[in-house]
Amino acid sequence: MGRRPTIPRRSRSALVLGAGAIGLSCAYFLRRAGWDVRVVDRGRPGHGATWGTAGLLCPAHSQPVPGPGVVWKALRWMLREDSPFRIRWRADPELARWLFAFTRAATRARSEAGFGHLAALSGLSLRLFGELLERKRLDFFFERRGGWFVFLTDAGFHKAREEARWLGRRGFPVEALEGDAVREREPALNRTVRGGLFLGGDAHGFSLGFAESLARELERLGVTIETGLRARTLLFDGETVVGARLEDDGGAPVERTADETVIALGAWSPRLARTADIRLPIQPAKGYSATVRAFPGAPAIAVTVADRKVIITPFGDRVRFAGTLELAGFDPTLNRVRYRAVIEGARRVLRAEVPLDEETPWAGFRPLTPTSLPLIGRPSGRKGVLIAAGHGMLGFTQSLGTGKLIAEIATGAPPSVDPAPFRP
Ligand SMILES: Cc1cc2nc3c(=O)[nH]c(=O)nc-3n(C[C@H](O)[C@H](O)[C@H](O)COP(=O)(O)OP(=O)(O)OC[C@H]3O[C@@H](n4cnc5c(N)ncnc54)[C@H](O)[C@@H]3O)c2cc1C
């Protein structure tokens, strides 16, 4: 008997909706697995929440937002216009369901379990950042020299010492230092700092630079990136999702089909998922950042002012201040009081004057789930569609890890981290 002719197997195709840190990372690992990949976005790569992050890549900051005592703290904060957390109440059953799930997740046991899952995904991601930078696949501002978490009250620092011991037992390199010792190592900080934790494994990087560099690498690998296309609904063949119906900038309908469609639309993912009856518990959590030119006396590495939930990050030629979390739907307005609170929170700990003559203000929407765990994988009972959304405060940190996990789920390869906790 003659040998059977080998039939060349068509490589599988993926349509990735969303060119933020998450969508681009999914595209990268699917392409590396040999898939034909197309990415579409209504705007330019990285111009969603990925644009203005604080740039922290921080496995040690993996505490879910809901935790013991958080609900009471949030209620107290809501009485103040300039507080780090705020909800604008509205009659919205999705928000009510989300808040109910949030309060249920705010227990010590769930918070500690959540920490483990988030830290595993962040750790995987950070290893991948290291690998891709070392192999010159990516080129953007990135430094892994640790990060500071500083406290303005003795009580805050006292609690942080306990947290340091907790993190130390879980293998994170962490030092707890009194105010003077912190200032000796980071002279940019003034005497309001009572103490701080130095998290030796943290890194910081410029997230827009990451997205732009990854988009260049994708194009080099033969991935098509289409901008100016807005996804409207998913397309079906029977029960199977086979792509998406989109609209170009002039409102003309366009269809794109693929074997797998990945929804990576950040805070906007629930709208599209709903067209396939998939409910994603994600709320847009608005945050602000202000970017100024680099100035003498700026910190050398990222500093999180823990009591104010404000982060100061140097990115070479610029410095960014970021913070606040506001559940107010997709309201894009920049609340001046809250925005100023971010800048004031940063100025409060710095010795140097901050140049505010040319600052770039920004507001963006984190895609936040009630448990803070992202949704990664295939919704149960669905074919042809994968979700990669809901990364909240950690989407830049967890981008490459999420991309790798999505590719492993799509191809059936053994997963690098347990995907079960993230199943949509
Ligand atoms: C103030 C602030 C500071 C932050 N700091 C950090 C940090 O230090 N470290 C960290 O890890 N994370 C941080 N984050 C969180 C991080 O920004 C997000 O988790 C992450 O950017 C989410 O990435 P994404 O790709 O899911 O979403 P996005 O970056 O928002 O991307 C979604 C994309 O989908 C596109 N899109 C939406 N709807 C449609 C549609 N219908 N059709 C076509 N395209 C569409 C958008 O244009 C966008 O490009 C911060 C967030 C904020 C707001």
PDB file of all heavy atoms in Angstrom, residues 41-55:
ATOM      1  N   ASP A  41      -9.204  47.067  16.739  1.00  0.00           N
ATOM      2  CA  ASP A  41      -9.510  48.028  17.802  1.00  0.00           C
ATOM      3  C   ASP A  41     -10.150  49.247  17.158  1.00  0.00           C
ATOM      4  O   ASP A  41      -9.854  49.582  16.012  1.00  0.00           O
ATOM      5  CB  ASP A  41      -8.232  48.444  18.537  1.00  0.00           C
ATOM      6  CG  ASP A  41      -8.531  49.051  19.907  1.00  0.00           C
ATOM      7  OD1 ASP A  41      -9.122  50.152  19.969  1.00  0.00           O
ATOM      8  OD2 ASP A  41      -8.170  48.418  20.917  1.00  0.00           O
ATOM      9  N   ARG A  42     -10.987  49.922  17.935  1.00  0.00           N
ATOM     10  CA  ARG A  42     -11.583  51.160  17.401  1.00  0.00           C
ATOM     11  C   ARG A  42     -10.545  52.281  17.373  1.00  0.00           C
ATOM     12  O   ARG A  42     -10.686  53.254  16.654  1.00  0.00           O
ATOM     13  CB  ARG A  42     -12.781  51.562  18.258  1.00  0.00           C
ATOM     14  CG  ARG A  42     -12.389  51.851  19.666  1.00  0.00           C
ATOM     15  CD  ARG A  42     -13.562  52.126  20.556  1.00  0.00           C
ATOM     16  NE  ARG A  42     -13.052  52.345  21.911  1.00  0.00           N
ATOM     17  CZ  ARG A  42     -13.793  52.388  22.987  1.00  0.00           C
ATOM     18  NH1 ARG A  42     -15.095  52.223  22.894  1.00  0.00           N
ATOM     19  NH2 ARG A  42     -13.254  52.588  24.164  1.00  0.00           N
ATOM     20  N   GLY A  43      -9.493  52.159  18.203  1.00  0.00           N
ATOM     21  CA  GLY A  43      -8.466  53.206  18.261  1.00  0.00           C
ATOM     22  C   GLY A  43      -7.079  52.615  18.076  1.00  0.00           C
ATOM     23  O   GLY A  43      -6.927  51.476  17.623  1.00  0.00           O
ATOM     24  N   ARG A  44      -6.080  53.406  18.478  1.00  0.00           N
ATOM     25  CA  ARG A  44      -4.699  52.933  18.299  1.00  0.00           C
ATOM     26  C   ARG A  44      -4.308  51.987  19.434  1.00  0.00           C
ATOM     27  O   ARG A  44      -4.845  52.088  20.540  1.00  0.00           O
ATOM     28  CB  ARG A  44      -3.760  54.139  18.284  1.00  0.00           C
ATOM     29  CG  ARG A  44      -3.856  54.880  16.940  1.00  0.00           C
ATOM     30  CD  ARG A  44      -3.371  56.298  17.028  1.00  0.00           C
ATOM     31  NE  ARG A  44      -2.014  56.389  17.515  1.00  0.00           N
ATOM     32  CZ  ARG A  44      -1.483  57.528  18.003  1.00  0.00           C
ATOM     33  NH1 ARG A  44      -2.206  58.616  18.064  1.00  0.00           N
ATOM     34  NH2 ARG A  44      -0.242  57.557  18.410  1.00  0.00           N
ATOM     35  N   PRO A  45      -3.362  51.063  19.182  1.00  0.00           N
ATOM     36  CA  PRO A  45      -2.949  50.123  20.237  1.00  0.00           C
ATOM     37  C   PRO A  45      -2.525  50.858  21.512  1.00  0.00           C
ATOM     38  O   PRO A  45      -1.776  51.836  21.444  1.00  0.00           O
ATOM     39  CB  PRO A  45      -1.764  49.387  19.617  1.00  0.00           C
ATOM     40  CG  PRO A  45      -1.997  49.472  18.144  1.00  0.00           C
ATOM     41  CD  PRO A  45      -2.679  50.798  17.913  1.00  0.00           C
ATOM     42  N   GLY A  46      -3.051  50.377  22.625  1.00  0.00           N
ATOM     43  CA  GLY A  46      -2.636  50.921  23.922  1.00  0.00           C
ATOM     44  C   GLY A  46      -3.322  52.212  24.319  1.00  0.00           C
ATOM     45  O   GLY A  46      -2.955  52.822  25.324  1.00  0.00           O
ATOM     46  N   HIS A  47      -4.344  52.645  23.569  1.00  0.00           N
ATOM     47  CA  HIS A  47      -4.961  53.931  23.896  1.00  0.00           C
ATOM     48  C   HIS A  47      -6.208  53.811  24.765  1.00  0.00           C
ATOM     49  O   HIS A  47      -6.950  54.769  24.921  1.00  0.00           O
ATOM     50  CB  HIS A  47      -5.217  54.748  22.622  1.00  0.00           C
ATOM     51  CG  HIS A  47      -3.949  55.421  22.146  1.00  0.00           C
ATOM     52  ND1 HIS A  47      -3.840  56.775  21.931  1.00  0.00           N
ATOM     53  CD2 HIS A  47      -2.724  54.915  21.905  1.00  0.00           C
ATOM     54  CE1 HIS A  47      -2.608  57.069  21.567  1.00  0.00           C
ATOM     55  NE2 HIS A  47      -1.906  55.951  21.531  1.00  0.00           N
ATOM     56  N   GLY A  48      -6.448  52.631  25.352  1.00  0.00           N
ATOM     57  CA  GLY A  48      -7.508  52.481  26.363  1.00  0.00           C
ATOM     58  C   GLY A  48      -6.886  52.675  27.738  1.00  0.00           C
ATOM     59  O   GLY A  48      -6.036  53.563  27.921  1.00  0.00           O
ATOM     60  N   ALA A  49      -7.265  51.823  28.689  1.00  0.00           N
ATOM     61  CA  ALA A  49      -6.736  51.946  30.059  1.00  0.00           C
ATOM     62  C   ALA A  49      -5.221  51.789  30.083  1.00  0.00           C
ATOM     63  O   ALA A  49      -4.547  52.278  30.987  1.00  0.00           O
ATOM     64  CB  ALA A  49      -7.375  50.898  30.954  1.00  0.00           C
ATOM     65  N   THR A  50      -4.694  51.101  29.090  1.00  0.00           N
ATOM     66  CA  THR A  50      -3.254  50.831  29.051  1.00  0.00           C
ATOM     67  C   THR A  50      -2.433  52.114  28.921  1.00  0.00           C
ATOM     68  O   THR A  50      -1.269  52.150  29.289  1.00  0.00           O
ATOM     69  CB  THR A  50      -2.974  49.854  27.870  1.00  0.00           C
ATOM     70  OG1 THR A  50      -3.729  48.655  28.115  1.00  0.00           O
ATOM     71  CG2 THR A  50      -1.514  49.509  27.723  1.00  0.00           C
ATOM     72  N   TRP A  51      -3.058  53.183  28.421  1.00  0.00           N
ATOM     73  CA  TRP A  51      -2.310  54.427  28.141  1.00  0.00           C
ATOM     74  C   TRP A  51      -1.662  55.015  29.394  1.00  0.00           C
ATOM     75  O   TRP A  51      -0.488  55.345  29.397  1.00  0.00           O
ATOM     76  CB  TRP A  51      -3.251  55.465  27.520  1.00  0.00           C
ATOM     77  CG  TRP A  51      -2.525  56.616  26.894  1.00  0.00           C
ATOM     78  CD1 TRP A  51      -2.192  56.744  25.582  1.00  0.00           C
ATOM     79  CD2 TRP A  51      -2.032  57.804  27.548  1.00  0.00           C
ATOM     80  NE1 TRP A  51      -1.530  57.926  25.383  1.00  0.00           N
ATOM     81  CE2 TRP A  51      -1.416  58.600  26.569  1.00  0.00           C
ATOM     82  CE3 TRP A  51      -2.064  58.264  28.865  1.00  0.00           C
ATOM     83  CZ2 TRP A  51      -0.836  59.819  26.853  1.00  0.00           C
ATOM     84  CZ3 TRP A  51      -1.470  59.486  29.159  1.00  0.00           C
ATOM     85  CH2 TRP A  51      -0.873  60.251  28.165  1.00  0.00           C
ATOM     86  N   GLY A  52      -2.465  55.166  30.452  1.00  0.00           N
ATOM     87  CA  GLY A  52      -1.998  56.039  31.546  1.00  0.00           C
ATOM     88  C   GLY A  52      -1.725  55.345  32.853  1.00  0.00           C
ATOM     89  O   GLY A  52      -1.850  55.952  33.907  1.00  0.00           O
ATOM     90  N   THR A  53      -1.304  54.076  32.837  1.00  0.00           N
ATOM     91  CA  THR A  53      -1.122  53.347  34.099  1.00  0.00           C
ATOM     92  C   THR A  53       0.025  53.928  34.923  1.00  0.00           C
ATOM     93  O   THR A  53       0.877  54.648  34.399  1.00  0.00           O
ATOM     94  CB  THR A  53      -0.802  51.847  33.881  1.00  0.00           C
ATOM     95  OG1 THR A  53       0.558  51.734  33.460  1.00  0.00           O
ATOM     96  CG2 THR A  53      -1.707  51.193  32.867  1.00  0.00           C
ATOM     97  N   ALA A  54       0.049  53.515  36.193  1.00  0.00           N
ATOM     98  CA  ALA A  54       1.166  53.906  37.050  1.00  0.00           C
ATOM     99  C   ALA A  54       2.420  53.113  36.687  1.00  0.00           C
ATOM    100  O   ALA A  54       3.506  53.400  37.191  1.00  0.00           O
ATOM    101  CB  ALA A  54       0.799  53.660  38.502  1.00  0.00           C
ATOM    102  N   GLY A  55       2.263  52.102  35.852  1.00  0.00           N
ATOM    103  CA  GLY A  55       3.434  51.372  35.362  1.00  0.00           C
ATOM    104  C   GLY A  55       4.010  50.359  36.332  1.00  0.00           C
ATOM    105  O   GLY A  55       5.125  49.870  36.128  1.00  0.00           O
TER     106      GLY A  55
END
